[in-house]
Amino acid sequence: MSIDLVTRRDWGARSPKGSYSTLSSTRGVKVHYTGGRVDPAIVNDHAKCVTLVRQIQNSHMDGNGWIDIGYSMVACPHRKVFVGRGPNRLPAANGPGLNSGHYAVLGLVGSSGLTQPPDGMLHGILDAIEYLRANGGAGREIKGHRDGFATECPGEPLYAWVRRGAPRPGSGQDPADPDAVPWPGRLLSYPPIMRGDDVRTWQKRLVELGYELDVDGAYGPQTRNVTRAFQRDQGITVDGIVGPESWGAAFAKR
Ligand SMILES: [Zn+2]
Ligand SMILES: [Zn+2]
């Protein structure tokens, strides 16, 4: 699959406030997260991804005083890749002195809310990296922002993936997580009642984990209540909605 680019025109980027420093090559790429809360609803609404990227650009330009968004590229849950500064331009997000060594790629996850990168986002990050290799002379390294800089970024889930060698989801090259069931890509919630194989998979998993409920493929009040109990037990957001965080918490326990 070729990269699904969101051009600066597509996302309504502001023009840069100055001229970029150029780069002919880098040692590789550093992966970032937003650091704040990301509304889990973005996974069902790409328009919200666009809004969030614009907000990030505004805070980088108006808050940090940078000439543009600090990232080279941004990957959202829908396997779309936003052009930030793009290839051959010095990013700003890696920290002073660290920008000429690596391009900066942001995954739209945060320190709360949406914290687990959906498969589409991991693919998008890798699509961005391949694009930067092909068009910007990026080298083979894939690192996290925290490598060489004092920050939590890119957060535990994304950093763990980077440390495993940033495998393509579903490629069978992920020995740390052989039985992981990928998140189905839609939020499971009630009301109204939602039906599907993903609901059945979720219910079956809750039963395996010791919860009592009917495995009937219908997400109604019973499944919502048991999901809330599961979320409470996990210490994660108790909203009765199954998104990447709850799904990841359940299937990480295999
Ligand atoms: Zn960062
Ligand atoms: Zn999106």
Side-chain angles (χ1 to χ4, degrees):
M1 180 172 165
S2 61
I3 189 167
D4 186 358
L5 278 182
V6 182
T7 66
R8 291 177 65 92
R9 177 189 290 258
D10 289 340
W11 63 269
R14 289 162 62 185
S15 301
K17 286 192 290 190
S19 49
Y20 303 105
S21 302
T22 57
L23 282 176
S24 54
S25 66
T26 66
R27 294 204 301 280
V29 169
K30 284 187 175 170
V31 175
H32 297 255
Y33 76 163
T34 66
R37 183 177 189 278
V38 172
D39 182 357
I42 73 165
V43 299
N44 279 352
D45 186 356
H46 178 67
K48 288 189 162 70
C49 304
V50 175
T51 302
L52 179 53
V53 171
R54 283 200 197 138
Q55 285 169 354
I56 293 167
Q57 187 192 34
N58 286 337
S59 84
H60 284 183
M61 293 176 75
D62 304 332
N64 299 7
W66 295 347
I67 57 169
D68 192 5
I69 190 169
Y71 303 107
S72 308
M73 307 193 93
V74 180
C76 79
H78 309 100
R79 198 173 176 173
K80 292 180 184 293
V81 180
F82 292 71
V83 179
R85 297 194 179 197
N88 298 120
R89 290 168 172 172
L90 189 73
N94 293 333
L98 298 169
N99 289 305
S100 60
H102 297 84
Y103 289 112
V105 173
L106 170 69
L108 283 186
V109 286
S111 53
S112 64
L114 183 65
T115 56
Q116 296 283 340
D119 282 359
M121 187 181 296
L122 298 179
H123 279 297
I125 291 170
L126 290 166
D127 293 345
I129 290 171
E130 288 175 6
Y131 182 86
L132 290 165
R133 286 174 179 166
N135 298 284
R140 301 302 302 176
E141 285 185 2
I142 301 177
K143 297 198 160 198
H145 187 189
R146 67 170 74 169
D147 292 315
F149 191 80
T151 173
E152 290 298 304
C153 183
E156 265 326 302
L158 210 44
Y159 191 59
W161 173 74
V162 166
R163 272 198 316 259
R164 290 201 304 274
R168 281 267 176 204
S171 63
Q173 294 166 356
D174 197 350
D177 204 5
D179 299 318
V181 177
W183 182 61
R186 65 166 183 164
L187 297 175
L188 306 180
S189 63
Y190 168 84
I193 292 178
M194 292 177 70
R195 296 171 202 280
D197 288 345
D198 47 0
V199 174
R200 189 177 295 277
T201 303
W202 175 249
Q203 291 170 327
K204 212 166 138 253
R205 185 65 186 142
L206 288 177
V207 168
E208 286 170 10
L209 293 171
Y211 296 87
E212 268 180 53
L213 77 165
D214 301 324
V215 180
D216 58 4
Y219 199 104
Q222 183 197 49
T223 307
R224 180 193 58 190
N225 292 343
V226 175
T227 296
R228 293 175 80 97
F230 168 77
Q231 291 170 330
R232 210 170 296 120
D233 293 344
Q234 291 293 311
I236 60 181
T237 312
V238 180
D239 56 8
I241 299 172
V242 183
E245 186 182 38
S246 297
W247 192 276
F251 287 95
K253 303 210 169 304
R254 279 177 178 249

